[in-house]
Amino acid sequence: MAETVVKIENLVKRYKDLIALDHFNIDIKEGEVFGLLGPNGSGKTTAINCLLSLLTFDKGTIEIFGQKMAPDNYKVKSNIGVIMQNVAVLDELTVYENIDYFCGLYIKDKALRKKYVEEAIEFVGLESFVKFYPKKLSGGLLRRLNIACGIAHKPRLIILDEPTVAVDPQSRNRILEGIQELNKDGATIIYTSHYMEEVEQICTRIAIIDKGKNIAIGTKDELKKMIRKTETITIEILNPEEAVIERIRSLEHVYETDFTDGKLIIRCSGGKHNLVRILGILAEADVPFGRVYSEQPTLNDVFLEITGKALRDGEGQ
Ligand code: ADP
Ligand code: MG
């Protein structure tokens, strides 16, 4: 059994009347890429700030590497790398100097520090920008600098709070690949995001959070097994007769059909060969159709079924 790196139990955090974290729990093992997925305002950043002892909290316990976390627990802190949601770099220092400064907080040996700084620069691909000042960098490059500052000292636990927001697609992919590389090299990762696609792509285990509460926790497959929907089938079709839709709806594993904008959307729960049976009905009734596709449930479906609302505005039905 892998070592527990982070354990948060029954964490309660209030901002005056607002309960930002409501008996929040997570348990993260060494080697995981742990995703904290939730909409804006669900409490992700608050949880990270409590974890790092940057915020006091009202109730609960937090342990990192088996030790109680405290503001002056520098030994634990030196093993953590943090990339905060709001980029925090020093404007008066160049790219190189920034990374050197943050690395120097933990690595005192000069030769080793130089090596680590150079490795971090290479890791985020900022070799051509080492003499630039942060103000001259694009959003994506600035984010990469922020990451380099957080990881240069080779921490065992790396926390990234929404690192891909306001980042171009190229930097975004580089960041996601970089996280997986850091994990391969042995770091445990905590990754917060409101983008379910990213979390699905890189996380080994995911806690879904809403209004400061964990609503579900597991691997993406475990989370998807918690809900009714197993498959959504979409068929492009012009004007299906109600009788045909009715026959599809009466299939054993179909629980919902929806016809809009020339698309018949069929939601299924369990069962095999749903698509074959549906196409059989269309063929028998001699109904012409265009493109057909079947989609597995997403984490948004999980969020939608458990909370009754979409993870992001405009998503879900
Ligand atoms: P997330 O990171 O998931 O977007 P946050 O942890 O930033 O969520 O916020 C959780 C809730 O706490 C939100 O309702 C937010 O408005 C509130 N909040 C966050 N920081 C403060 C603060 N310093 N004072 C008062 N309320 C806050
Ligand atoms: Mg946040």
Side-chain angles (χ1 to χ4, degrees):
M1 196 68 186
E3 187 197 344
T4 297
V5 173
V6 171
K7 194 174 179 94
I8 298 182
E9 280 185 315
N10 285 319
L11 188 63
V12 176
K13 170 67 190 173
R14 289 196 182 87
Y15 296 109
K16 294 199 176 121
D17 291 342
L18 182 113
I19 301 186
L21 292 173
D22 188 357
H23 297 89
F24 178 72
N25 296 287
I26 46 176
D27 190 333
I28 301 171
K29 301 270 186 269
E30 178 150 41
E32 289 199 276
V33 179
F34 191 89
L36 196 53
L37 176 68
N40 286 328
S42 54
K44 303 181 295 294
T45 299
T46 301
I48 299 301
N49 285 334
C50 291
L51 182 66
L52 295 167
S53 279
L54 298 172
L55 263 182
T56 57
F57 45 91
D58 300 277
K59 228 177 106 178
T61 55
I62 296 178
E63 276 181 22
I64 304 184
F65 303 122
Q67 294 184 33
K68 191 167 184 291
M69 191 51 183
D72 59 354
N73 196 336
Y74 298 111
K75 179 146 191 316
V76 167
K77 285 194 167 180
S78 69
N79 277 308
I80 305 177
V82 188
I83 292 93
M84 286 298 207
Q85 183 167 7
N86 297 319
V87 173
V89 294
L90 300 164
D91 284 338
E92 61 275 20
L93 299 184
T94 63
V95 163
Y96 187 97
E97 290 163 347
N98 259 292
I99 303 170
D100 187 56
Y101 170 79
F102 285 102
C103 187
L105 297 176
Y106 306 102
I107 307 293
K108 299 302 172 192
D109 181 275
K110 273 195 179 154
L112 184 65
R113 183 156 119 208
K114 184 162 183 286
K115 177 173 175 281
Y116 279 11
V117 171
E118 281 165 6
E119 283 174 8
I121 290 166
E122 195 192 326
F123 183 75
V124 296
L126 282 178
E127 294 94 332
S128 333
F129 301 93
V130 285
K131 294 200 170 128
F132 279 53
Y133 286 89
K135 287 240 150 64
K136 298 275 180 209
L137 300 178
S138 69
L141 294 178
L142 192 61
R143 188 49 99 173
R144 291 199 225 167
L145 169 60
N146 197 34
I147 292 173
C149 292
I151 59 143
H153 63 292
K154 302 203 189 288
R156 287 172 62 200
L157 170 64
I158 300 171
I159 301 171
L160 302 105
D161 193 3
E162 307 231 29
T164 58
V165 170
V167 156
D168 58 281
Q170 194 197 342
S171 285
R172 177 183 170 276
N173 288 338
R174 188 160 189 126
I175 290 169
L176 295 177
E177 284 165 17
I179 292 170
Q180 289 182 300
E181 235 172 280
L182 290 165
N183 177 247
K184 244 190 249 148
D185 291 343
T188 302
I189 312 280
I190 302 179
Y191 182 80
T192 88
S193 181
H194 64 279
Y195 298 127
M196 52 140 185
E197 303 89 346
E198 292 184 353
V199 169
E200 279 213 54
Q201 197 180 327
I202 66 165
C203 295
T204 53
R205 220 151 53 91
I206 300 150
I208 302 184
I209 174 172
D210 186 39
K211 295 185 186 140
K213 287 188 179 140
N214 317 73
I215 61 166
I217 193 159
T219 64
K220 60 181 185 223
D221 291 333
E222 286 166 353
L223 290 172
K224 288 174 184 182
K225 283 196 186 117
M226 291 177 193
I227 62 170
R228 172 168 65 154
K229 186 195 284 180
T230 56
E231 188 181 13
T232 303
I233 294 169
T234 304
I235 302 174
E236 289 180 357
I237 194 166
L238 279 178
N239 275 311
E241 284 171 36
E242 189 48 43
V244 171
I245 295 181
E246 193 48 54
R247 280 188 61 198
I248 291 173
R249 196 162 28 219
S250 66
L251 285 172
E252 190 187 348
H253 296 286
V254 171
Y255 69 90
E256 201 174 62
T257 59
D258 197 1
F259 181 72
T260 35
D261 296 333
K263 280 185 182 146
L264 180 61
I265 297 166
I266 303 150
R267 298 193 182 85
C268 308
S269 60
K272 286 179 190 159
H273 314 304
N274 291 321
L275 183 58
V276 175
R277 295 207 175 99
I278 291 163
L279 294 182
I281 291 173
L282 294 179
E284 223 171 84
D286 216 6
V287 178
F289 53 88
R291 281 200 308 158
V292 174
Y293 42 96
S294 163
E295 292 160 294
Q296 301 302 304
T298 64
L299 291 178
N300 193 51
D301 292 316
V302 177
F303 194 82
L304 185 67
E305 267 201 43
I306 298 177
T307 67
K309 62 181 187 201
L311 189 53
R312 278 185 277 158
D313 296 339
E315 273 180 36
Q317 296 87 30

